């Protein structure tokens, strides 16, 4: 079992976004996602969605599934998006997803893979949940970035930014080489496509002097330089699953989306609980909130 980075009870929204100057990063990531994600579609899931920061970008999708291991962050996401009947909130571990094979048409994962010690296992789970021809937009922290390259050249950093293996610079915080991510995506059955180099201007000194709109405009131009070799701290990549016949789905209702994360067995509803007869597990399911962290 890979160790998890647990955000339960975390003040992530306030500390990392509201009380810190990250308007530039937030806006630059939105530009990248808008460029890579098909603007409309059927059912999309965001993995590690946290408090639902990016939920507005899924306006063109008929169903939106926000998945996170932290119940408290998902509750914050529900405060934001709970009035919109298209949204479903799922507490689950990416390594043990509760989705039927091919249940999703598209997926995103932003600022999450850097917390995962076993990316191939997580990507295989996401791949299995996606339908043939499904789209997956992945953001990752790039170890081959300009700052790391400069620090390495000056002897101020011991790890090599050009080596393909992931580096764990703080416990459960990893930077990845673009080649490693491309290989991991292929290994999980994705075909990686277009990349964008994001957040080149991530520097306190610039943020103090340059208006955020100007920084985002420059970032939007720099994002397009990725084919020359992305040296930015963050990279977005669009990947696709192989084409094939659309899977048979039992309607578009929420219950038909799920299987037991223990066994993959079918679930049936008993009031506010989903029951798996195959493995004997029961899972809380109240309104739009489904809890697959541990059985009821
Ligand atoms: C840095 S936050 C990013 C949140 C959101 N994607 C955003 O960009 O605002 C990382 C998120 O990944 C979630 N996470 C980490 N490991 C996870 C796992 N194994 N399964 C599900 N979620 C996980 C955390 O709970 C947290 O909400």
């Amino acid at each position: 079992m890979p160790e998890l980075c647990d955000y339960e009870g975390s003040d992530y929204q306030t500390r990392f976004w509201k009380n810190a100057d990250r308007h530039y990063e937030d806006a630059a990531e939105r530009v990248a996602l808008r460029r890579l994600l098909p603007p409309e579609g059927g059912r999309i899931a965001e993995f590690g969605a946290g408090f639902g920061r990016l939920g507005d970008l899924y306006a063109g999708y008929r169903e939106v599934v926000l998945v996170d291991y932290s119940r408290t962050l998902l509750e914050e996401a529900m405060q934001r998006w709970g009035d919109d009947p298209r949204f479903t909130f799922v507490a689950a571990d990416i390594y043990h997803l509760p989705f039927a094979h091919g249940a999703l048409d598209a997926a995103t994962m932003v600022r999450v893979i850097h917390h995962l010690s076993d990316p191939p296992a997580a990507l295989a789970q996401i791949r299995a949940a996606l339908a043939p021809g499904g789209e997956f937009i992945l953001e990752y922290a790039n170890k081959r970035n300009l700052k790391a390259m400069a620090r390495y050249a000056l002897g101020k950093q011991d790890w090599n930014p050009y080596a393909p293996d992931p580096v764990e610079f703080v416990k459960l915080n990893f930077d990845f080489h673009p080649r490693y991510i491309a290989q991991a995506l292929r290994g999980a059955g994705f075909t990686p496509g277009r990349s964008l180099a994001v957040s080149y201007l991530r520097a306190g000194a610039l943020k103090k002097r340059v208006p955020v709109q100007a920084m985002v405009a420059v970032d939007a131009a720099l994002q397009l330089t990725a084919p020359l070799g992305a040296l930015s701290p963050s990279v977005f990549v669009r990947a696709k699953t192989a084409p094939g016949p659309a899977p048979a789905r039992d309607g578009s209702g929420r219950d038909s989306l799920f299987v037991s994360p223990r066994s993959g067995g079918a679930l049936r509803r008993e009031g506010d609980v989903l029951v798996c007869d195959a493995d004997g597990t029961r899972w809380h399911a109240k309104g739009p909130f489904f809890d697959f962290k541990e059985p009821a």
Side-chain angles (χ1 to χ4, degrees), residues 10 39 61 87 94 97 108 120 149-150 156 198 204 217 239 241 243 290 293:
S10 133
Y61 285 79
F87 277 77
I94 289 169
L97 288 177
T108 62
M149 287 158 67
K156 292 188 171 172
V198 180
T241 63
F290 294 75
K293 272 182 84 165

Side-chain angles (χ1 to χ4, degrees), residues 101-239:
H101 279 261
L104 308 172
D105 301 303
T108 62
M109 187 158 84
V110 177
R111 291 180 175 264
V112 177
I113 201 168
H114 71 277
H115 286 319
L116 303 181
S117 59
D118 191 349
L123 293 175
Q125 288 277 304
I126 294 169
R127 163 72 189 83
L130 276 164
E135 301 276 358
F136 177 42
I137 315 300
L138 171 69
E139 182 277 343
Y140 63 91
N142 178 19
K143 75 183 286 197
R144 192 191 59 185
N145 68 69
L146 288 174
K147 186 174 166 195
M149 287 158 67
R151 286 174 55 81
Y152 184 64
L154 296 170
K156 292 188 171 172
Q157 171 187 292
D158 55 2
W159 53 267
N160 178 352
Y162 308 101
D165 50 312
V167 57
E168 187 174 20
F169 57 94
V170 171
K171 191 170 162 54
L172 284 176
N173 280 265
F174 299 86
D175 280 353
F176 299 99
H177 195 285
R179 262 203 325 271
Y180 173 89
I181 292 289
Q183 261 173 23
L185 283 167
R186 279 195 203 95
F190 289 100
T191 303
R194 188 180 179 204
S195 290
L196 296 172
V198 180
S199 267
Y200 266 116
L201 310 181
R202 198 183 277 177
L206 273 179
K207 287 184 191 176
K208 279 198 196 108
R209 291 174 180 81
V210 184
V212 69
Q213 296 91 330
M215 287 183 65
V216 176
V218 174
D219 196 281
L222 291 174
Q223 287 182 11
L224 305 177
T225 62
L228 305 173
L231 306 178
S232 50
S234 168
V235 175
F236 280 64
V237 56
R238 180 177 181 174

Side-chain angles (χ1 to χ4, degrees), residues 230-260:
L231 306 178
S232 50
S234 168
V235 175
F236 280 64
V237 56
R238 180 177 181 174
K240 229 176 153 61
T241 63
R249 282 188 197 153
D250 185 11
S252 61
R254 282 181 179 131
D255 291 3
S256 69
L257 171 62
F258 299 114
V259 293
S260 165

